[in-house]
Each structure stands twice: as structure tokens, then as C-alpha cells.
């Protein structure tokens, strides 16, 4: 199975700041990576697919980058509604696997 | 618009079988694949398995021996059955559209299942 190591596990930032969340795959996943946002008590919502493609309706302050085994999610101009847990997910190989999540809070 | 909704019992006894239903609207099961994903309280996400548009299935090897996914296309429903439940199977269970087995672009609201006597 491909292991997805996500960091940091938690993150506290101020409104308007830029934050980065990292995801490291245990092997090359050829940009077959998605990012999700999960707000408390809700189901996850797709933000980014193919490592850097923005899902329809997602604000442009979210962006994804990376290749090979290293990927990142960047949130510009942090807003209060961005408080959530973020997960990465690889779909290069089965079983589909997720990172352990990054909990983002506002300072 | 595309919608998925899970339903099933909230409480299952240990060693019993879990049966869940995912009812979809706004999409055809004969041209879309649907996965089941679960999330224990306060923990991460685990992909369980997928039913493809052609009716074939693939399962996570970790639970493959206990899991079965099927569908009724006439009712737009996908079914999950998992046997020999234990307390560690307590989780929120989600169904999600899984285009070509890649990401998950539409999710249901989830159904909480507690395994307890």
C-alpha cells in the first residue's frame, strides 16, 4: 500500500496569512493526488485534483503543487471559513489511501 | 444535481453484519463508480471498496474477506455488507462518487455506525 505522510498534524495561523500543508508519498504517485477539506460534522469536500487542478467552485486562494513523492496545498489570505481538517489522497495505486489529516485553526 | 445519501442502522452488535444503503440521484450507476469510505471518530479516512460502472468491484485488502458491495441500478442504490463487526468498526460511513477510480467529487452526508452490545 502507498503510505501518505501528511504534515503538520495541526496548524494555527492568523487571518490573512498564507499556510502550507505537505504530503509525502511512500513512492512516486505521478501527480495522482487530491486534497480535501472537512469541516466539523461534515463530509469531506474536494478542493484539488491531479495535484494542481482546482475543483469547480473552490476559491482561488487554494492551490496545489508538487510531483513525484512530494506535494503541498497552499492557502492564501486565510479566512475564518477555512477552519477545517485537510486530507490528501493518492489514486495512483490501489488501495486508495489518505493522509492522516492537518487540523487548521485560527490564532 | 448529484446527491448521495447513506442509510442504515446506527447500532450493530459485535460479530453481527452491517448493511448500509447509498441512494444516489442526479447520476446513473451504469456510467459512474461509487466507493465506500469510513472514518472512525476523531481519526482519518479509510477507503473500503468501489463498485464500478460495469458492476465489478474492488476492495481494500485489509477488509476484503468481510466486505461485499453490490447495487440495484433500477433503484439507484449501492449496498455495503460487512460481517463479523468489532468495536473498531465503529465509524462514520460515507459513500462517494469516484470518477474512474480517482478522486471523490461528491460525498454523502455519512451515517454513524456504533458497534456495541
Amino acid at each position: 500500500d502507498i503510505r501518505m505522510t501528511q504534515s503538520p498534524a495541526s496548524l494555527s495561523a492568523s487571518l490573512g496569512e498564507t499556510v502550507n500543508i505537505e504530503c509525502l508519498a511512500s513512492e512516486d504517485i505521478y501527480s495522482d493526488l487530491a486534497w480535501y477539506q472537512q469541516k466539523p460534522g461534515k463530509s469531506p469536500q474536494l478542493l484539488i485534483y491531479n495535484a494542481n487542478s482546482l475543483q469547480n467552485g473552490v476559491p482561488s486562494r487554494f492551490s496545489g503543487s508538487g510531483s513525484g513523492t512530494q506535494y503541498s496545498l497552499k492557502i492564501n489570505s486565510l479566512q475564518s471559513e477555512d477552519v477545517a481538517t485537510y486530507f490528501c489522497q493518492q489514486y495512483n495505486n490501489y488501495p486508495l489511501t489518505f493522509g492522516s489529516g492537518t487540523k487548521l485553526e485560527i490564532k | 444535481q448529484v446527491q448521495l445519501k447513506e442509510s442504515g442502522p446506527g447500532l450493530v452488535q459485535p460479530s453481527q453484519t452491517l448493511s448500509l444503503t447509498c441512494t444516489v440521484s442526479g447520476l446513473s450507476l451504469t456510467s459512474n463508480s461509487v466507493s465506500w469510505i469510513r472514518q472512525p471518530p476523531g481519526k482519518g479516512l479509510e477507503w473500503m471498496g468501489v463498485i464500478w460502472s460495469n458492476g465489478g468491484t474492488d476492495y481494500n485488502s485489509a477488509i476484503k474477506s468481510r466486505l461485499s458491495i453490490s447495487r440495484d441500478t433500477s433503484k439507484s442504490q449501492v449496498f455495503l455488507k460487512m460481517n463479523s463487526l468489532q468495536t473498531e468498526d465503529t465509524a462514520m460511513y460515507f459513500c462517494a462518487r469516484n470518477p474512474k477510480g480517482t478522486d471523490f467529487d461528491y460525498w454523502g452526508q455519512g451515517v454513524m455506525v456504533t458497534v456495541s452490545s
Side-chain angles (χ1 to χ4, degrees):
Chain A
D1 299 3
I2 296 177
R3 181 175 177 83
M4 305 300 291
T5 302
Q6 202 172 325
S7 62
S10 62
L11 181 56
S12 183
S14 301
L15 294 174
E17 266 193 55
T18 294
V19 300
N20 282 282
I21 298 169
E22 309 291 327
C23 198
L24 177 67
S26 59
E27 61 186 76
D28 194 329
I29 57 171
Y30 302 95
S31 296
D32 291 336
L33 184 101
W35 289 97
Y36 300 87
Q37 176 192 68
Q38 186 177 31
K39 296 185 178 181
K42 300 292 187 181
S43 53
Q45 299 296 306
L46 178 65
L47 298 174
I48 301 285
Y49 61 96
N50 293 344
N52 59 16
S53 297
L54 194 67
Q55 175 70 349
N56 287 343
V58 174
S60 59
R61 64 178 182 275
F62 292 90
S63 62
S65 63
S67 62
T69 62
Q70 296 185 313
Y71 299 87
S72 63
L73 173 71
K74 183 178 180 180
I75 310 173
N76 286 318
S77 302
L78 192 64
Q79 307 291 307
S80 57
E81 59 263 34
D82 300 334
V83 169
T85 299
Y86 294 83
F87 296 94
C88 59
Q89 176 237 330
Q90 67 80 23
Y91 45 87
N92 182 253
N93 211 341
Y94 277 70
L96 306 178
T97 49
F98 293 86
S100 53
T102 296
K103 187 173 183 179
L104 176 60
E105 299 176 331
I106 302 293
K107 273 183 190 175
Chain B
Q1 71 276 26
V2 174
Q3 291 186 322
L4 301 93
K5 186 173 184 179
E6 307 87 346
S7 58
L11 180 65
V12 179
Q13 293 199 338
S15 80
Q16 297 302 301
T17 296
L18 172 65
S19 294
L20 298 177
T21 299
C22 174
T23 302
V24 307
S25 58
L27 64 88
S28 168
L29 293 177
T30 57
S31 53
N32 288 271
S33 52
V34 173
S35 277
W36 286 94
I37 300 128
R38 66 179 178 176
Q39 184 174 35
K43 295 191 177 181
L45 298 156
E46 179 186 32
W47 174 77
M48 301 179 72
V50 60
I51 187 161
W52 301 102
S53 58
N54 64 5
T57 53
D58 277 300
Y59 301 120
N60 190 324
S61 57
I63 51 175
K64 183 176 182 177
S65 63
R66 300 195 290 137
L67 184 64
S68 175
I69 298 175
S70 60
R71 70 183 186 182
D72 183 333
T73 56
S74 67
K75 294 183 178 179
S76 295
Q77 291 180 325
V78 176
F79 308 107
L80 176 148
K81 287 189 187 302
M82 188 163 68
N83 59 31
S84 305
L85 254 61
Q86 301 302 319
T87 54
E88 51 265 33
D89 294 312
T90 293
M92 184 74 81
Y93 286 75
F94 299 98
C95 58
R97 190 175 83 154
N98 188 205
K100 301 178 181 178
T102 57
D103 50 52
F104 305 100
D105 59 355
Y106 291 94
W107 294 67
Q109 64 192 18
V111 59
M112 184 67 202
V113 175
T114 300
V115 181
S116 175
S117 55

